[in-house]
Amino acid sequence: MARQPRKAANLPLDEGLVSQACELQINISRAAEDGIAKAIRAERELWRIENAEAIRLENEYVEKHGLPFAKYRQF
């Protein structure tokens, strides 16, 4: 998968963590990016879990009654 264009960000980080990362030759930017991506996936999954019942009910309604205002659709 191709990486998207990157945007510079100034983030204050724990000095000890930065020092250890440098000693271990860890790419701090890439590690931060990976951590943010993981947090985003976790939040989206949590949203899906929290809203699963509402989504199920909405889908059930559409199956039973069709789309609201469907008669006005032009496509």
Side-chain angles (χ1 to χ4, degrees):
M1 175 168 84
R3 291 260 179 196
Q4 295 295 317
R6 299 171 76 84
K7 178 173 175 48
N10 183 14
L11 303 172
L13 301 171
D14 180 278
E15 288 182 30
L17 291 176
V18 172
S19 178
Q20 290 178 57
C22 289
E23 287 174 14
L24 296 169
Q25 298 180 344
I26 294 172
N27 181 325
I28 296 171
S29 294
R30 187 58 44 100
E33 189 175 281
D34 291 345
I36 293 167
K38 182 179 177 182
I40 289 169
R41 285 191 301 273
E43 285 298 316
R44 286 185 172 158
E45 181 60 23
L46 181 60
W47 184 92
R48 278 193 283 280
I49 291 168
E50 290 174 344
N51 291 283
E53 179 67 7
I55 293 167
R56 184 190 67 74
L57 290 172
E58 181 67 18
N59 288 336
E60 192 176 282
Y61 176 89
V62 170
E63 282 182 28
K64 185 175 181 181
H65 302 284
L67 289 172
F69 304 106
K71 65 183 178 181
Y72 301 110
R73 292 176 65 172
Q74 306 236 342
F75 53 93

